[in-house]
Every structure is written in C-alpha cells, then in structure tokens.
Amino acid sequence: MAGLLDFDTPIALLALLVLQYFPDTDEVTTLIRQYRQALPAGSVVVLSHVTGDDPAMPVAEATRLSQNTDNPTYARTRDEFAALFADALLIDPGIVFAQHWHPDSHNTDPEHTCVYTAATHARA
C-alpha cells in the first residue's frame, strides 16, 4: 500500500455511506478530525450519512430492522451529522440532502435519498 497516495498533492477523502455503521459519534468525530489533520493542504473530505430526517423516506423502520443484523446502521440527525465535522468550515452548499448537493442541471425533480452530504477542507 505504501506509495499509492502522494501526500505532496491534495487528496480527496470520500467517506460515503460508511459512517452510519459506527454508533459512537465522538469516536467518529475524532477519526474525521485525525484524517483532516493528516491530509495535505488543499485536500477535501466529503462525508455522507443516512438520516431519518426526511419524512418522505421510512428510514426509522429500516434502521430498527438493521439492529438485528451483523451490520446494524445508525441514522443520525442533521445536528448529529454536523457534529462529525466538529468546528470545520463546510464547503458550499453545506449540509444538504444528497439530491441537493451539486445537482445535475438536467435533473429538475431529484428523488429523495434520506442521505445528508457535506464537505470540508483538510487542515482548515
């Protein structure tokens, strides 16, 4: 694995639909902070997370059912998702549902996703 990433140039860290498998928000927040500090200047961290905040999506029942599996999920609210970024400044458009994060101009009626998405710069 050594040498696969060039830490002399910016890196994009994408943690997309992964963090909902980790129940402890404080541990995840610490992990994200450590990644941000380890990445070279100019890097970007993009996170997404399942949420039950979208009333159009029945996430609560799916999350409840997942608790009886080998890989339970933990839906976080907007505030809980925001906490993962700690004090980092978010890149526009901030925390939004995935369908509203840089939407394709041809997609005038994006479908609900029940997923929050946001990005920040490393070492901010």
Side-chain angles (χ1 to χ4, degrees):
M1 287 294 224
L4 289 178
L5 297 175
D6 180 358
F7 279 83
D8 292 326
T9 61
I11 295 170
L13 172 65
L14 308 176
L16 306 176
L17 295 174
V18 173
L19 303 176
Q20 63 264 8
Y21 295 103
F22 299 90
D24 189 323
T25 298
D26 290 338
E27 285 185 28
V28 175
T29 301
T30 298
L31 178 67
I32 297 302
R33 184 181 302 113
Q34 290 171 342
Y35 276 123
R36 287 183 55 236
Q37 292 171 347
L39 291 171
S43 295
V44 176
V45 176
V46 182
L47 307 179
S48 69
H49 201 294
V50 170
T51 183
D53 290 353
D54 188 343
M57 301 296 288
V59 174
E61 178 64 9
T63 299
R64 186 187 69 74
L65 291 172
S66 82
Q67 299 306 301
N68 297 322
T69 69
D70 289 337
N71 299 304
T73 59
Y74 304 89
R76 286 184 170 88
T77 65
R78 186 183 194 287
D79 288 343
E80 291 168 330
F81 181 63
L84 300 178
F85 290 93
D87 59 353
L89 296 176
L90 299 179
I91 298 169
D92 283 337
I95 297 173
V96 294
F97 286 114
Q99 68 267 23
H100 299 293
W101 199 67
H102 302 287
D104 184 313
S105 62
H106 300 290
N107 188 358
T108 57
D109 190 22
E111 296 197 22
H112 292 271
T113 62
C114 71
V115 173
Y116 281 129
T117 305
T120 188
H121 294 283
R123 298 184 183 193

